[in-house]
Structures are given as C-alpha cells and as structure tokens.
Amino acid sequence: DAIAALRRIPASDADPALTARVAYNLGNAAYRLGAAAEASKPQEALQRWAEALVAYRRAMGADPDDQDAKLNHELVERKIAELKKKLEEQQQRQDQQQDQRQEEEKKDEQADQRQDGQEQQAGQQDRPQQGEEDRQQQQAEQPQDQDGAGEDERQAEQPTPDSASEQAAGEAIVWITLSGFFWWPRVLLGIEEQLYAFYDQADLLHRICQDQAAYMRRCLDEFCALCVPDFLTLAEDMSYNHGPMISRRQFQEFMAPWYAVVVPLARQRGIPVIVDSDGDVEPLIPWLEEAGVDGILPLERMAGVDAARVRARHPEWVMVGGFDKTVMHRGEAALRREFQRLLPVMRSGRFVPSVDHQTPPEVSLEDYRLYLGLLREYAAAAVA
C-alpha cells in the first residue's frame, strides 16, 4: 500500500522540504486510488479525493512555492465538484423513475378497480333500479354534505375543551365563521356565473342556499355541544368599493329567506350574528337589519365606510373595524388622530376598532406595537 508506506516516512517541521514531498506524494496516491474507484464506488472516490486535498494543503503549507501541489489541489477540487453533480443528477433520475413507476402502478390499480366495478355492475343489471324521482326526493330530504368541498369555504372549526374552559373563565373569546348565502354559491360557481345565475338559474341558487342552511344548522349543533360561541360571523363579501354587487330585491329573494332560517337558530342560543363583507357596506346594513343580523365587519375605510356615520344611522348596530390602516406606519401623532376620530364611536359602545384585513407590509413591528398600545389606551378612555 503506497499510502501506508509514505505515511511511515517521518515528516518533521525541521525539514519542510521532506514534509512537502511526502505530503505531495500522499496526495497523488490518494488521487489515483479515487480515480480508480470513481466508476464503481463513487463515494469511496470522494473520500479518497478528500484525503488528497488534505495532503496537498499540507504540502503547500510546508512549501508555499510548490506549484505542482497547488495545481493538483485545484484539479481534485474540480473532480469532486463534477462527481457530486453527476451523483445528484443520477439521484434525480432515479427519483423521477420511481415516481413514474408509482404513477404507473397507481394507474394499473385504478384500471383494475374500474374493471372490478364494471363486473359488479354487470352482475347487478337484473336487480330493480331505483327510480329517478325517488333519488331526487331523497336528495331533497337530505341536505348535501359539503365537507371538503373546497379550500375557499370558511369551515367551522370545532372548539377544543381548552378553549371552552378558557372562554368560561373569561380568558378567551370564541366565535364561529360560516360561509354565507352569497359567499358559498360564489365559491361553487365563480363570481360571474353566480351573478348570471340570479337570472338564469334561480332554482339552483335556492337549492345551494337550502343545503348550506342545513349545513349551518349541523355546525351550530356540533359546535354548541362543546361551548356556545360569543358571536357568529357569516362570510359574504357581497360589496365592492361602490356598493353591493346585488340589488335589494335580489337579497330579499335569494338570501333573506335563508337568513330567516339561520339567524333564529343563533338567536335561540344567545349568539349575535355579524356579517363579514368587504367594500362599501353602508347600503347593505338596512337589508341585514331587516333580516335580523346584529352587526357587520370590517368597515373598510378605503371603501369610504365611516363608523361614525354608521353609528348615527344605526345606534344599536354592532361594528368591528373602521380603523384607517394607511396611517399605521406614519408615527404616533397620525395614530392618535385616527383614534381620536373613532373615540366617540368607541364611547357609544358595541364597537371594536380594528384594521380591515391584513396589516400593510410597510408597518414595522414597532409600528404595530405602538398601535396596540394606543388601542389599549383609547379603549380604557372610552369606558372611563
């Protein structure tokens, strides 16, 4: 073993020339062993070449003018980089081939299942078939289960026993959010198709809302079995910057009948109902009041919604939001002016100032901490 023999030669700092020669030869021997193993044992080759780099660095340390050791060191570095890249590409190809095999196996399994299903269906052809009218009647009597129907649906998460106990101790607020009768059809159909459906597919919209009302009933029953939420929000998002996306007549025809089903269910349990809608919601509020709704959020300031104006027109209305988030990064004076603007509404009660949607990205952590501190200060002043 050439490397073992070279290592037996003493290398002394007192003789740097000898140290350089021994280290250089060790590096060459390790490099050749790595080159011999490259094709069949690439990991061993990488290990040998790493040893070669150590030896060449020792040679250069003993003799800084040793250009051969320097060139060989650079060569081995390139060889290591090339081999690592080659191994990574091989691994990627293997992963792709494995994924392809798994996909083919999955397709084969699905084909087998389809064949089994066809055979079972063929064996059942002599059995009496359920009539279409019977199926439709069963569907009408049993509300559809919408669990997992899409990521956009705002599903109700069941409260945990911990959250229920924290609520009972006054340490937490618990609420439930459900997809409303404008929101959920839009998730299913898309906004354009939904708006056409008010004219072209009225029966479909009513059926969707009927099923959603049944789903809401189940959610409330299961949720309230653990704890009664402090409030219920119905996600609607039915306004834009210049007002509602539907008319009052459409609201009364397509949504109010289902509010008349859900709102009493919440009221029976003492749960206030708050509608969540973006945009200019002020024209909506009378419609919602007539439907028995208690409040609205988030009072989007950028859409021109004014909490003071809403309070003047609707003294008992519950409101959350109304804070102009565009001032949050402008310093304490700007924040105080905004809180001063909202302070009379805060003193009127049934109002929680808050930004609508997310805090703007230009707001720093210190800005947000300042906002929270002032919120506590003005909240205390409002009830003093």
Side-chain angles (χ1 to χ4, degrees), residues 229-292:
D230 294 287
F231 60 92
L232 160 68
T233 57
L234 297 180
E236 294 290 14
D237 282 1
M238 53 191 294
S239 286
Y240 205 62
N241 287 345
H242 300 292
M245 288 185 273
I246 60 174
S247 68
R248 184 187 184 101
R249 182 188 65 79
Q250 289 169 326
F251 177 85
Q252 291 174 335
E253 179 180 353
F254 291 94
M255 298 179 65
W258 305 110
Y259 273 79
V261 173
V262 174
V263 171
L265 295 176
R267 286 283 181 84
Q268 291 168 7
R269 297 171 168 88
I271 306 171
V273 179
I274 300 175
V275 166
D276 178 353
S277 181
D278 302 339
D280 181 5
V281 296
E282 292 191 46
L284 279 178
I285 294 176
W287 313 353
L288 297 172
E289 279 186 315
E290 292 175 3

Side-chain angles (χ1 to χ4, degrees), residues 42-347:
Q43 294 299 330
E44 181 179 334
L46 290 174
Q47 181 180 351
R48 291 296 188 181
W49 287 344
E51 294 173 357
L53 290 179
V54 173
Y56 289 137
R57 283 196 292 270
R58 185 178 180 189
M60 289 186 289
D63 183 4
D65 296 328
D66 190 343
Q67 294 299 314
D68 290 338
K70 181 180 179 182
L71 291 173
N72 285 0
H73 186 277
E74 294 174 354
L75 170 66
V76 174
E77 282 187 326
R78 289 196 301 272
K79 294 288 290 185
I80 289 175
E82 291 170 358
L83 181 54
K84 285 184 176 180
K85 181 179 179 181
K86 180 180 178 181
L87 293 176
E88 289 175 359
E89 292 173 349
Q90 288 177 350
Q91 185 62 47
Q92 289 176 356
R93 286 195 295 271
Q94 291 174 1
D95 292 342
Q96 291 173 354
Q97 291 171 357
Q98 182 177 359
D99 292 342
Q100 185 176 0
R101 285 195 298 270
Q102 291 176 346
E103 184 65 25
E104 291 174 353
E105 291 173 358
K106 183 178 179 180
K107 290 180 179 179
D108 292 341
E109 182 179 352
Q110 291 174 345
D112 292 340
Q113 291 175 351
R114 285 195 297 270
Q115 183 176 358
D116 292 342
Q118 291 171 357
E119 292 174 355
Q120 291 177 2
Q121 184 177 5
Q124 295 174 354
Q125 287 180 350
D126 294 335
R127 298 181 184 179
Q129 299 296 313
Q130 183 184 26
E132 180 64 21
E133 293 182 359
D134 293 339
R135 283 196 296 271
Q136 292 179 354
Q137 179 65 26
Q138 288 184 3
Q139 290 174 356
E141 293 174 354
Q142 298 179 0
Q144 294 178 354
D145 187 357
Q146 296 172 353
D147 290 345
E151 293 182 356
D152 289 333
E153 182 184 7
R154 300 188 182 181
Q155 297 284 16
E157 294 184 6
Q158 284 194 346
T160 64
D162 287 342
S163 61
S165 61
E166 290 172 359
Q167 180 200 31
E171 298 174 352
I173 294 175
V174 178
W175 78 91
I176 179 174
T177 297
L178 296 171
S179 298
F181 301 108
F182 185 86
W183 176 285
W184 182 236
R186 184 182 62 196
V187 170
L188 295 178
L189 304 176
I191 183 62
E192 184 175 358
E193 292 299 325
Q194 178 198 17
L195 295 179
Y196 277 121
F198 282 110
Y199 302 94
D200 301 334
Q201 295 179 291
D203 291 342
L204 174 62
L205 285 184
H206 280 301
R207 179 57 192 273
I208 292 173
C209 292
Q210 177 186 3
D211 290 346
Q212 184 65 0
Y215 169 75
M216 290 181 178
R217 179 191 294 272
R218 294 203 312 274
C219 286
L220 284 172
D221 288 343
E222 294 181 14
F223 199 100
C224 291
L226 291 175
C227 74
V228 177
D230 294 287
F231 60 92
L232 160 68
T233 57
L234 297 180
E236 294 290 14
D237 282 1
M238 53 191 294
S239 286
Y240 205 62
N241 287 345
H242 300 292
M245 288 185 273
I246 60 174
S247 68
R248 184 187 184 101
R249 182 188 65 79
Q250 289 169 326
F251 177 85
Q252 291 174 335
E253 179 180 353
F254 291 94
M255 298 179 65
W258 305 110
Y259 273 79
V261 173
V262 174
V263 171
L265 295 176
R267 286 283 181 84
Q268 291 168 7
R269 297 171 168 88
I271 306 171
V273 179
I274 300 175
V275 166
D276 178 353
S277 181
D278 302 339
D280 181 5
V281 296
E282 292 191 46
L284 279 178
I285 294 176
W287 313 353
L288 297 172
E289 279 186 315
E290 292 175 3
V293 174
D294 299 287
I296 198 161
L297 60 86
L299 303 178
E300 193 171 355
R301 187 66 180 147
M302 297 299 291
V305 181
D306 184 354
R309 185 169 59 236
V310 174
R311 171 58 74 235
R313 295 173 179 173
H314 309 277
E316 300 301 317
W317 197 241
V318 176
M319 300 182 295
V320 180
F323 193 93
D324 185 356
K325 62 185 179 183
T326 63
V327 307
M328 294 181 69
H329 67 291
R330 297 179 182 173
E332 182 174 348
L335 284 168
R336 286 191 178 277
R337 284 194 297 271
E338 181 64 9
F339 276 114
Q340 287 287 351
R341 183 182 70 85
L342 294 173
L343 185 57
V345 189
M346 296 170 66
R347 285 177 170 152

